[in-house]
Amino acid sequence: MSRLPSGLARRLPDKDDVADRLYGLGWATVRTLPEPAARALGRSIADQTWKKHGKGVRQLEANLRRVVPDASPERISALSRAGMRSYLRYWMESFRLPAWSERRVRLGFAPDGLDHLDVPLSEGRGVIMALPHLANWDLAGAWVTTELGLPFTTVAERLKPESLYDRFVAYRESLGMEVLPHTGGAAFGTLARRLRSGGMVCLVADRDLSASGVPVDFLGEPTRMPAGPAMLAQHTGAALLPVTLWYDDSPVMRGRVHPEITPPAAGSRAEKTAVMTQALADVFATGVAAHPQDWHMLQKFWLADLDPAKDPARRGTEAAADTPGEPRTPGAPPAAGEGPPAEVGP
């Protein structure tokens, strides 16, 4: 096999450079499109990606079969197509959000259950808003800073290349968020300080990135979820409020703030964390089951998929057939601890 001249090889962009340029192009161009054109573009990309039936779509369908276990193959296929449209709606909205007017942001989200914020805010307590990968959490965050006038802090995993990570941080900061890198224990300490001073923290918390999360049952199967939200609530006395989001047929995203999850009266800190994280998982599962097409989980999620050896019933060829692809390719939309998707993008 012939090799490229060294000078030419140095000039060719690598995969990270290409990803950075693609997302830069998305932010630079999609935001300038009229909204109907952006929606049509997103739907077209979603349908094309769905038809290719690549790793991400196959993994989405494997996850949907857990969420809707009695669904026919035709129903799963329809849900995965709707899921890809929801996923690309997220991206089209996110590319355009920094250019939206305050009025457009306010009109773009209609949540219920805001009264659950009243008590902790009136008491000067911190608030932890914990969300699953449903619909558009960036839009919900922009609405909180714009409509409610409440700044908040979140966490993002460091991406490669660094320039792409910087784009995501600048994007979220432009929406009024404080973004901390997901590295070591420093983020936890900063989040705790924000909460003790009565601030708000928002975390996407349905998928454990540490491989050392809290074991939970999610829709009848074991997985892990991050311990952070429950631990922060115990350390700081902040209110832990689950939030679920979904789309309907209108341009307005819907959402619900659920009642506070409080620490049990008895038990060790680890036992309390386990109980609270399971309660959070139960709320998330209810939201995902009600709106499966809006759960942007294109990655392996359950332990049986992440490590088939942990589930003897799914070992061997059956597990391999149900769980194509690598655990983190493609990814869910970038949120707390998430990077950009590898398979989908303008």
Side-chain angles (χ1 to χ4, degrees):
M1 180 182 294
S2 63
R3 298 180 61 186
L4 290 171
S6 59
L8 177 58
R10 285 194 297 269
R11 290 195 297 272
L12 289 175
D14 61 19
K15 182 179 178 182
D16 287 344
D17 289 334
V18 171
D20 187 30
R21 292 178 188 180
L22 284 173
Y23 288 98
L25 181 64
W27 269 304
T29 60
V30 173
R31 72 174 65 186
T32 66
L33 294 175
E35 195 152 334
R39 287 198 299 268
L41 175 62
R43 179 164 290 204
S44 175
I45 295 172
D47 288 349
Q48 291 174 31
T49 305
W50 178 78
K51 288 177 182 177
K52 291 179 182 177
H53 207 247
K55 289 181 180 180
V57 175
R58 296 199 305 271
Q59 186 59 55
L60 175 63
E61 291 181 348
N63 292 338
L64 287 169
R65 284 193 286 272
R66 262 58 169 267
V67 179
V68 193
D70 297 329
S72 66
E74 293 77 15
R75 172 65 173 154
I76 294 297
S77 181
L79 278 174
S80 70
R81 183 175 189 177
M84 293 308 298
R85 289 182 171 184
S86 174
Y87 184 53
L88 264 296
R89 176 173 172 175
Y90 163 88
W91 276 106
M92 293 299 107
E93 287 179 347
S94 294
F95 284 141
R96 294 172 56 78
L97 259 176
W100 278 10
S101 67
E102 290 188 0
R103 182 176 184 274
R104 179 66 183 88
V105 172
R106 290 189 174 103
L107 295 176
F109 182 39
D112 297 324
L114 291 176
D115 55 299
H116 294 301
L117 284 166
D118 293 343
V119 171
L121 290 178
S122 67
E123 295 174 346
R125 298 166 61 202
V127 173
I128 305 161
M129 308 283 271
L131 308 87
H133 283 88
L134 278 168
N136 191 339
W137 41 96
D138 283 324
L139 172 55
W143 187 90
V144 167
T145 60
T146 302
E147 177 67 16
L148 301 184
L150 296 173
F152 65 87
T153 304
T154 188
V155 178
E157 183 186 16
R158 285 197 175 277
L159 307 176
K160 293 182 179 180
E162 191 76 12
S163 57
L164 184 56
Y165 171 77
D166 291 340
R167 285 185 187 273
F168 279 109
V169 170
Y171 156 62
R172 290 197 164 93
E173 287 179 342
S174 75
L175 302 178
M177 310 176 192
E178 178 189 21
V179 182
L180 306 177
H182 186 275
T183 53
F188 187 92
T190 302
L191 295 173
R193 288 193 293 274
R194 300 290 183 271
L195 291 167
R196 289 193 183 100
S197 64
M200 178 180 287
V201 164
C202 294
L203 300 171
V204 180
D206 57 344
R207 182 170 174 269
D208 177 49
L209 290 171
S210 67
S212 60
V214 179
V216 296
D217 176 275
F218 194 89
L219 293 169
E221 288 197 43
T223 189
R224 300 185 192 93
M225 282 178 38
M231 291 179 64
L232 282 167
Q234 293 177 75
H235 274 279
T236 67
L240 175 55
L241 302 179
V243 180
T244 53
L245 309 171
W246 66 93
Y247 290 128
D248 57 19
D249 294 329
S250 77
V252 180
M253 184 177 70
R254 308 293 171 176
R256 178 167 296 114
V257 180
H258 296 265
E260 178 180 353
I261 293 175
T262 57
S268 67
R269 179 166 290 173
E271 290 169 340
K272 292 179 180 181
T273 297
V275 171
M276 295 173 73
T277 305
Q278 181 61 62
L280 194 62
D282 291 342
V283 177
F284 289 174
T286 300
V288 169
H291 307 282
Q293 71 279 2
D294 293 322
W295 192 38
H296 302 157
M297 189 55 65
L298 279 71
Q299 295 171 303
K300 296 179 181 181
F301 178 77
W302 281 274
L303 295 186
D305 289 350
L306 294 164
D307 186 358
K310 294 183 180 296
D311 186 351
R314 296 181 58 81
R315 286 176 183 160
T317 57
E318 179 184 354
D322 280 352
T323 59
E326 294 299 319
R328 302 202 58 193
T329 304
E338 290 295 335
E343 182 174 306
V344 181

